[in-house]
Amino acid sequence: EAGVAQSPRYKIIEKRQSVAFWCNPISGHATLYWYQQILGQGPKLLIQFQNNGVVDDSQLPKDRFSAERLKGVDSTLKIQPAKLEDSAVYLCASSLTPGQGKDTQYFGPGTRLTVL
Amino acid sequence: AQTVTQSQPEMSVQEAETVTLSCTYDTSENNYYLFWYKQPPSRQMILVIRQEAYKQQNATENRFSVNFQKAAKSFSLKISDSQLGDTAMYFCAFYNNNDMRFGAGTRLTVKP
């Protein structure tokens, strides 16, 4: 079974530029999560999708971050414009059952973003 | 809002020995889930063990077990017979009502 795929693995941009990250969850997984992991900290949940609907985006900085999950499969996370403090690893995870937070989350390898 | 605290930034243990990682959390909820996730160097995060708050029995998974103290809001992870492959960052996490919170992590090094 293929795991969660993310691309790109690394990205370096200048502040005020835009960037997009892509995630392909495990086939059949209904729930998809995007996390931000700043160096030295634990992951912080940014947004959670159930199929193609948003379940929770309370910690997403909506003035610059946006995310979508078209057709309930792949997802993209965008930052526009980027700030220095957005430098972090962006993790995507998926889980099988809708609305079941107790489910195991399967994580991708992450995208390491550096904003200069 | 829920918070998760891991007070040990780094720990080390000799191979084959036992080590305990600490985690405390703060919540006003009664039903929730607690997790320990492992993030090996340059590898993906994986689930180690899960505990449901309404279950009094402590969860175990092979060499990994937890000590869940609901009243004290404590959730420690015990690793028995430590192996070199256990070297990783360990994150304690809390889930309730679509809210997932992670602690800052404990870096565990297993020494040969």
Side-chain angles (χ1 to χ4, degrees), chain B residues 49-62:
Chain B
I49 198 165
R50 165 182 34 236
Q51 175 78 41
E52 300 174 39
Y54 64 87
K55 289 187 176 179
Q56 292 187 328
Q57 187 173 5
N58 289 325
T60 63
E61 288 286 344
N62 301 312

Side-chain angles (χ1 to χ4, degrees), chain A residues 4 35 37 40-43 45 48 50 55-56 59 91 99-105 107-109, chain B residues 33 35 37 39 42-47 50 52 54 91 95 97-105:
Chain A
V4 176
Y35 291 90
Q37 186 176 17
Q41 299 180 18
L45 180 63
Q48 181 182 166
Q50 208 168 89
V55 173
D56 184 84
Q59 298 197 85
L91 296 168
Q100 293 293 326
K102 67 178 182 178
D103 276 5
T104 299
Q105 292 188 28
F107 284 80
Chain B
Y33 301 92
F35 309 84
Y37 276 87
Q39 190 173 40
S42 302
R43 294 180 62 186
Q44 286 150 245
M45 194 174 307
I46 57 173
L47 178 68
R50 165 182 34 236
E52 300 174 39
Y54 64 87
F91 293 97
Y95 178 89
N97 194 28
N98 296 321
D99 187 14
M100 185 77 164
R101 303 274 173 163
F102 283 82

Side-chain angles (χ1 to χ4, degrees), chain A residues 79-109:
Chain A
I79 307 175
Q80 179 179 11
K83 293 185 175 181
L84 296 177
E85 59 260 36
D86 298 333
S87 293
V89 175
Y90 290 85
L91 296 168
C92 179
S94 69
S95 63
L96 180 62
T97 312
Q100 293 293 326
K102 67 178 182 178
D103 276 5
T104 299
Q105 292 188 28
Y106 295 85
F107 284 80

Side-chain angles (χ1 to χ4, degrees), chain B residues 41-90:
Chain B
S42 302
R43 294 180 62 186
Q44 286 150 245
M45 194 174 307
I46 57 173
L47 178 68
V48 174
I49 198 165
R50 165 182 34 236
Q51 175 78 41
E52 300 174 39
Y54 64 87
K55 289 187 176 179
Q56 292 187 328
Q57 187 173 5
N58 289 325
T60 63
E61 288 286 344
N62 301 312
R63 297 182 295 107
F64 299 88
S65 61
V66 299
N67 183 4
F68 173 47
Q69 300 290 328
K70 192 172 184 179
K73 298 179 182 176
S74 171
F75 183 61
S76 60
L77 174 70
K78 186 172 83 171
I79 306 174
S80 303
D81 186 25
S82 297
Q83 300 176 0
L84 296 178
D86 295 333
T87 292
M89 282 291 292
Y90 286 82

